[in-house]
Amino acid sequence: MSLEFIVKSQKLNKRYGETIALKNVDIAIKRGSIYGLVGNNGAGKTTFLKIISGLTAADSGTFSLLGADNAAGYRSVRKRTGAIIENPGFYPKMTAKQNLEYYRIQRGIPGKETVDELLYLVGLEHAAKKKFASLSLGMKQRLGIALALMGEPELLILDEPINGLDPMGIIEIRKLLLKLNQEKNVTILISSHILTELENVATDYGFLNKGELVEEVAAEKLKEKCRTFLEVKVTDAAAYAALLETELLCSNYKVLPGNCIHILEHVDRVSDYSALAVKHDIGLLAFEMKEINLENYYMNLIGAENQTSDAQE
Ligand code: ATP
């Protein structure tokens, strides 16, 4: 089994009664990556994280976790993972530090300095003496991450840690995740129902829709797919496309139905593209700069899937 993947699932299935929570899900998470698991409410994200974390069992299918692929193996590697899936039970009247200290003792983790180091790592050293109840939501989330980091895990599993945070809180969590990944080599599996929240953080994405993995893609590839293009509508797309190649040496374009062409390169050469049509007496019907951003890419993906499948059937 390849250790290049810290988690690799094959054909995972899970039902709750009539509800299909996961359907033949194959997910491969590379060691060292920040894997964004994205999907609407009810898409199956938490179910996947729970299976990997041992909080529930799959009905069928297999997965490997840090090289282990059976119950005894999972038990021994789980101490090398940390997770926040359901809200950790913090005591509201105890301080941030007392709460972590409580869990350190309960888990038998040696070293009183551990808690201070964790508070520092998540940027809560100044809030150590604040009562949990008085912390902002972002601070509470970071305290949860500190708890998940106790025991120095190689894999951190976070279920919607950004949910409900204000923009500042989102930035702080992003910075923390990048620091953990880059400085501590922690592989991170993070779920979100808002794709753009994971932008600039995730190195890889898995898109879940109604229990099915609709796409798994590296962030770099996704960036290539999400970009600005020129939409040109002309009276004769075939003739215009030929001229694009011969006169402007442009080869990166797509001809679509309705005499519509998407030009994907040198989009700044707007005047050249319009002059080309004028010069050859081709009618220019529309000319518009457009952008595929992450969010509408995802909506298109989910929308397309919704027309072809229905996991709740
Ligand atoms: P959310 O963002 O809302 O948490 P999710 O993507 O994490 O959604 P899951 O929580 O994995 O989705 O749920 C997938 C489906 O399984 C949903 O339809 C949900 O209602 C259902 N489900 C999850 N847990 C249970 C349960 N314990 N009993 C019954 N149905 C469940």
Side-chain angles (χ1 to χ4, degrees):
M1 187 167 308
S2 166
L3 290 182
E4 184 198 343
F5 295 108
I6 207 155
V7 173
K8 195 170 196 308
S9 76
Q10 276 171 323
K11 298 210 176 312
L12 277 189
N13 283 285
K14 175 78 180 175
R15 263 177 187 269
Y16 294 101
E18 289 300 297
T19 307
I20 297 175
L22 292 179
K23 189 173 172 187
N24 290 330
V25 169
D26 291 354
I27 282 181
I29 301 171
K30 291 190 286 289
R31 189 177 277 278
S33 63
I34 301 181
Y35 190 102
L37 190 59
V38 181
N40 289 334
N41 290 337
K45 305 178 297 293
T46 305
T47 302
F48 180 78
L49 302 187
K50 279 184 169 174
I51 291 172
I52 300 304
S53 307
L55 297 174
T56 190
D59 298 333
S60 63
T62 59
F63 72 93
S64 70
L65 173 70
L66 291 121
D69 60 3
N70 57 51
Y74 298 148
R75 270 197 298 280
S76 86
V77 295
R78 280 227 167 84
K79 43 180 152 332
R80 289 157 56 198
T81 70
I84 323 182
I85 293 184
E86 274 135 10
N87 279 336
F90 286 125
Y91 295 93
K93 289 186 180 162
M94 275 163 53
T95 66
K97 182 168 174 166
Q98 285 167 338
N99 266 294
L100 287 186
E101 187 61 12
Y102 167 81
Y103 280 107
R104 182 188 72 80
I105 293 165
Q106 209 190 40
R107 292 179 185 182
I109 293 172
K112 240 184 163 317
E113 67 289 352
T114 305
V115 163
D116 286 329
E117 285 166 9
L118 285 170
L119 286 168
Y120 179 76
L121 187 60
V122 301
L124 285 181
E125 67 275 23
H126 302 300
K129 290 186 180 157
K130 283 195 175 171
K131 289 207 166 65
F132 178 76
S134 70
L135 300 178
S136 69
L137 185 60
M139 289 165 121
K140 287 177 178 165
Q141 295 288 45
R142 281 186 281 145
L143 192 67
I145 294 176
L147 178 59
L149 288 169
M150 216 176 255
E152 302 188 11
E154 292 162 53
L155 171 67
L156 186 61
I157 299 171
L158 304 173
D159 193 13
E160 305 239 12
I162 293 172
N163 206 358
L165 295 187
D166 59 21
M168 208 51 221
I170 294 176
I171 291 169
E172 279 164 3
I173 295 278
R174 271 190 191 151
K175 274 206 256 176
L176 173 59
L177 297 182
L178 288 171
K179 177 167 133 184
L180 294 172
N181 180 253
Q182 288 162 8
E183 294 175 18
K184 302 267 173 192
N185 298 320
V186 182
T187 303
I188 300 170
L189 167 55
I190 173 173
S191 74
S192 176
H193 61 280
I194 302 173
L195 173 59
T196 47
E197 285 183 348
L198 300 181
E199 208 177 347
N200 305 324
V201 180
T203 56
D204 296 87
Y205 294 96
F207 298 116
L208 273 179
N209 184 41
K210 294 182 179 177
E212 288 187 81
L213 188 78
V214 289
E215 186 173 4
E216 194 169 56
V217 61
E220 269 181 28
K221 279 261 155 62
L222 188 60
K223 233 180 230 166
E224 277 173 28
K225 293 182 182 195
C226 297
R227 55 177 160 175
T228 308
F229 63 93
L230 255 181
E231 185 176 274
V232 185
K233 285 186 183 156
V234 287
T235 47
D236 186 345
Y240 186 78
L243 291 165
L244 275 178
E245 298 218 8
T246 53
E247 296 213 4
L248 298 182
L249 305 178
C250 167
S251 56
N252 198 356
Y253 63 84
K254 270 188 201 160
V255 180
L256 299 156
N259 277 321
C260 177
I261 298 180
H262 285 176
I263 300 174
L264 303 158
E265 66 179 338
H266 304 304
V267 289
D268 51 325
R269 290 168 61 185
V270 173
S271 54
D272 290 350
Y273 293 126
S274 59
L276 185 69
V278 175
K279 182 176 162 196
H280 292 276
D281 259 347
I282 294 174
L284 199 53
L285 307 174
F287 203 77
E288 198 182 343
M289 194 79 89
K290 289 197 166 179
E291 189 187 20
I292 307 175
N293 61 28
L294 274 183
E295 204 57 36
N296 62 34
Y297 176 83
Y298 170 61
M299 294 315 285
N300 282 341
L301 192 68
I302 299 298
E305 272 300 305
N306 279 342
Q307 286 160 24
T308 55
S309 78
D310 187 356
Q312 309 286 330
E313 275 166 3

